[in-house]
Amino acid sequence: MTAPRWDRLWLNVRLATMEPDGAAYGAIEDGAIATSGDRIAFVGPRQDLPAAPEACAVVVTDCGGAWITPGLIDCHTHLVFGGERAHEFELRLEGASYEEIARAGGGIRSTVNATRGASEDVLFASARSRLRETMAQGVTTIEIKSGYGLSTEAEMKMLRVARRLGAELPVDVRTSFLGAHALPPEYEGRQSDYVKMVCDEMLPAIAKAGLADAVDAFCENIGFTPAETDAVFDAARRNGLAVKLHADQLSDLGGAALAARHGALSADHLEHTSQDGVAAMAKAGTVAVLLPGAFYFLRDTKVPPIEAFRRAGVPMAVASDCNPGSSPALSLLLMLNMACTLFRLRPEEALAGVTRNAARALGLNDRGRLAVGLNADFALWDVGRPAELCYWIGGNPCRSVVRRGIER
Ligand code: DI6
Ligand code: FE
């Protein structure tokens, strides 16, 4: 038998494959992983290699016992935006609430002003520096939403910037159109006209330009009603786009059940989700995306119904929600820690939340686990056990990252 000729082989590694069946973390001690082109060609115990390592691959690397996980996936971010909102942080610390600031014309609207006023190059440069921070912690796929433009032109500008980030940096960017994020000032008092414009003009134009992979909405008292969200999701379906929803973050408007009714990939936030919402998500296979950074930064006290999700078998993902107002978070590892400390996820659940389940929240089945045939996206970590990725507060044990077979 002739030995396979893989491009690269990593030896003396411990693998957290994140395969759901079997050992915790899908762990394989004394493992080996190999790539051919941009795919995983082998993953398993070293003793299962079909020949001597040097006969199997062109390049063989001894990793000295490092842990390898799938490349991390941040499945909910608002990474592209103009300006920052540190002053609102100060106001909140003096007692103003997030909703009060939003109602007074600050909040999302202040970022809309800054984003509309910024050139594409300026938006790109600021988002790129944030993206580099998160990539350094093992992120190989990131979702980026629009929603700070709120006009066809400005939403398209944001989405073009997101696409350009994916084209120029070694990371996969998935985009979501979030036109129904806030009411732009020029539509004050005419919310239904704005929703109609989102459905009939913005969404078709953005779908036609191929700028969005999914459609999102902010279903909330300070956002859009369930009926308006229904209309946006119907328009998404007409234009062939998947949906996901900011649901039940500040109040229970039945957002989780609404998302499930539309077969949403995910419902996100979910602090106020009811039992009915949990059951509907379980039935529809909708992923629960937990955003502990926003919970923490808004000093929220209502924890999402984690135990109910667990019992109902709803897959849970964890994401940064990186945005200037409610979660200025550039560290997905810190989100893992917060998911465990604030939401009581087990470290294995948290790690599944930024790998296997995050892939599912984006409708992607070619990543999020270490398995033959999947994208060769993985991260090497200087840790003694996978739970360490959830344990440290700050710091970065990421040794290196392989994306599509190439060490970046
Ligand atoms: N929920 C969030 O967490 C972000 N958007 C949303 O609908 C916050 C957006 C912001 O405050 O700028
Ligand atoms: Fe968000």
Side-chain angles (χ1 to χ4, degrees):
M1 183 185 125
T2 53
R5 218 42 189 154
W6 299 319
D7 293 332
R8 283 198 70 172
L9 173 63
W10 289 260
L11 283 180
N12 201 1
V13 293
R14 293 179 280 175
L15 303 166
T17 67
M18 301 315 292
E19 290 287 10
D21 309 313
Y25 302 94
I28 299 173
E29 299 276 345
D30 198 10
I33 184 167
T35 57
S36 268
D38 58 4
R39 303 281 148 162
I40 296 174
F42 176 91
V43 55
R46 174 187 183 142
Q47 64 186 32
D48 289 358
L49 284 173
E54 290 67 27
C56 290
V58 180
V59 181
V60 178
T61 309
D62 185 307
C63 298
W67 275 92
I68 295 187
T69 66
L72 305 190
I73 300 171
D74 193 348
C75 68
H76 178 143
T77 86
H78 310 248
L79 194 84
V80 173
F81 56 82
E84 43 72 33
R85 306 227 295 272
H87 182 55
E88 291 183 8
F89 181 49
E90 294 179 309
L91 292 177
R92 281 198 299 108
L93 291 172
E94 276 158 28
S97 75
Y98 182 72
E99 287 97 325
E100 277 161 12
I101 292 169
R103 288 211 171 89
I108 293 173
R109 272 194 188 177
S110 82
T111 300
V112 171
N113 284 336
T115 304
R116 285 179 171 181
S119 71
E120 228 159 291
D121 283 343
V122 165
L123 289 176
F124 178 81
S126 69
R128 180 180 52 194
S129 87
R130 291 188 282 273
L131 183 53
R132 283 184 175 143
E133 290 287 330
T134 138
M135 287 168 64
Q137 294 197 339
V139 169
T140 51
T141 299
I142 187 168
E143 185 259 16
I144 301 177
K145 302 173 194 300
S146 68
Y148 292 121
L150 309 183
S151 67
T152 305
E153 186 201 358
E155 287 288 295
M156 288 177 105
K157 173 172 75 173
M158 288 186 71
L159 292 166
R160 276 196 304 271
V161 169
R163 288 279 193 238
R164 186 175 152 203
L165 290 165
E168 294 191 18
L169 280 78
V171 64
D172 281 315
V173 171
R174 302 290 292 181
T175 58
S176 301
F177 166 57
L178 180 55
H181 192 199
L183 187 68
E186 62 276 17
Y187 276 86
E188 192 63 61
R190 297 187 296 129
Q191 180 138 327
S192 60
D193 289 350
Y194 179 67
V195 173
K196 198 166 166 7
M197 200 273 285
V198 166
C199 295
D200 298 346
E201 291 175 36
M202 282 171 132
L203 203 156
I206 283 162
K208 185 153 176 266
L211 283 169
D213 300 311
V215 172
D216 194 348
F218 187 31
C219 183
E220 196 58 65
N221 289 320
I222 57 167
F224 293 84
T225 66
E228 290 165 343
T229 304
D230 270 324
V232 172
F233 282 5
D234 288 341
R237 170 161 320 141
R238 284 198 297 279
N239 287 275
L241 290 173
V243 298
K244 41 183 50 251
L245 185 65
H246 282 72
D248 309 331
Q249 178 188 8
L250 307 170
S251 60
D252 181 12
L253 296 186
L258 187 159
R261 228 171 22 249
H262 285 269
L265 290 171
S266 71
D268 305 32
H269 285 292
L270 306 170
E271 276 78 355
H272 292 265
T273 295
S274 67
Q275 287 297 327
D276 288 352
V278 174
M281 286 175 67
K283 195 148 171 257
T286 298
V287 176
V289 177
L290 307 172
L291 304 168
F295 175 92
Y296 164 81
F297 195 65
L298 296 183
R299 306 188 73 232
D300 204 343
T301 50
K302 181 97 172 65
V303 175
I306 304 298
E307 186 52 33
F309 288 134
R310 217 178 250 141
R311 257 196 246 124
V314 174
M316 292 183 278
V318 174
S320 71
D321 196 15
C322 177
N323 77 74
S326 66
S327 188
L330 301 176
S331 166
L332 196 55
L333 295 179
L334 181 56
M335 301 301 109
L336 291 179
N337 177 272
M338 288 184 178
C340 296
T341 53
L342 301 176
F343 292 170
R344 289 300 185 216
L345 258 63
R346 293 189 281 270
E348 185 183 357
E349 291 175 316
L351 203 55
V354 296
T355 54
R356 185 175 78 231
N357 292 340
R360 188 163 159 186
L362 296 176
L364 301 170
N365 55 18
D366 57 2
R367 68 197 75 190
R369 293 172 291 124
L370 300 178
V372 170
L374 298 193
N375 289 345
D377 293 354
F378 47 86
L380 283 78
W381 306 95
D382 289 314
V383 295
R385 61 178 83 234
E388 251 190 86
L389 298 176
C390 305
Y391 161 83
W392 294 105
I393 301 171
N396 181 16
C398 187
R399 183 194 295 184
S400 69
V401 178
V402 174
R403 189 258 186 176
R404 296 297 160 82
I406 296 169
E407 192 160 1
R408 67 178 193 210

